[in-house]
Amino acid sequence: MGKLKVPKNGNRKDLIVKAGAALFREKGFGAASMRDLAENLGIEAASLYNHIRSKNEILESICFNVANRFNSHLDEIETSNAEPLKKIETLLRFHIQQMVENYEEVIVSDREWKHLDDPYLSNFRIQRRNYRKRLASIIEDGIKKGEIKKIDAPTAVVIMLQAVSGIESWHRSTAKISGSELEDNMIVILVEGMKK
Amino acid sequence: MGKLKVPKNGNRKDLIVKAGAALFREKGFGAASMRDLAENLGIEAASLYNHIRSKNEILESICFNVANRFNSHLDEIETSNAEPLKKIETLLRFHIQQMVENYEEVIVSDREWKHLDDPYLSNFRIQRRNYRKRLASIIEDGIKKGEIKKIDAPTAVVIMLQAVSGIESWHRSTAKISGSELEDNMIVILVEGMKK
């Protein structure tokens, strides 16, 4: 056990947050301890606290990093000139890619955000609700334009996001298809059905 | 607190299993206690053990009741003369209806089966795997017949079942659409996209 080794492209806190995401995903936030985390990082528990105040601070970093990433992507899509169905496809591909590439952070933020303390908890809940509403608005826009079938937009959003969260089991699968095949399959199944 | 009241259509064990499903869904199997269960039933904890051996026996009943229901439905569908896509639609409608009507048992069996003890655990795992394989075979059959697009069948199964499990959040939603609207929306989104 020694000092925390810092990779070239990153700082100590990033390293701790990354290891935290892996640990919280594996054990669940409630069951994971700062001692486990220090052990995984190969340092003393006490020296963790030089870099981070608490287990909750790690969860805050994970959740808000993920929220920033998804929110700025959505901002970009909303202001683009693409048709609604194409926007939904692009958003869904981004969700799938995030679940394939950064799945530990994404899964932890999706599953453990209720352990946030206020004001972070209320803030995250509102952001989450708004994000879903904005997706539903794009679908509703597509329905109005006659491009998407008459479906209940909030339900469609829940179905799509829930299906994406199933990628967790893809990571555990032994005989798995590639990430891009997975992405194309999901688009066919989830987007094509909405097309009018 | 008194003796366990038995409804006209049911026996004491059914009543305990039903209350167990509600409790395990709310608290999680690990955190739920036999004391909580007795309290919810309005009886003494000691008298619970006249009807049931352990918390695990309740979980076994829940998981295997659910498995029996889904397996016999699948048997029926497999031997029917419907085309593959229609079979998938019928199976999916059944899954959705079960999640709308018997969601406590279905959610608990889906989420808590890993707490089963052997030999039930291994047995349940095998049944679960076989069930998914049989669904994938129907999709593969539809691909061969040119009725379903060339998709990865096991992935399609995961996406569909995962989407159905999202109905849990529909139960919590305040401004929710009806169960049958939910069903029709899910069929449009999940089945239409596969159609060739």
Side-chain angles (χ1 to χ4, degrees), chain A residues 149-152 155-156 158-159 162-163 165-166 169 177 182 185-186 188-190 192-194, chain B residues 149-152 155-156 158-159 162-163 165-166 169 177 182 185-186 188-190 192-194:
Chain A
K149 285 179 192 145
K150 273 191 188 127
I151 49 176
D152 184 64
T155 301
V158 169
I159 293 173
Q162 185 70 22
S165 74
S169 72
I177 56 175
L182 175 74
N185 270 285
M186 292 192 86
V188 167
I189 296 169
L190 294 170
E192 295 286 309
M194 284 196 277
Chain B
K149 286 179 192 147
K150 272 189 188 130
I151 50 176
D152 184 64
T155 301
V158 169
I159 293 173
Q162 185 70 20
S165 74
S169 72
I177 56 175
L182 176 73
N185 269 284
M186 292 193 85
V188 167
I189 296 170
L190 295 171
E192 296 286 310
M194 285 196 276

Side-chain angles (χ1 to χ4, degrees), chain A residues 23 27-28 31-43 45 48:
Chain A
L23 178 69
K27 289 207 164 183
S33 72
M34 288 292 265
R35 185 179 292 268
D36 297 330
L37 182 58
E39 206 165 283
N40 289 357
L41 285 163
I43 57 168
L48 251 187

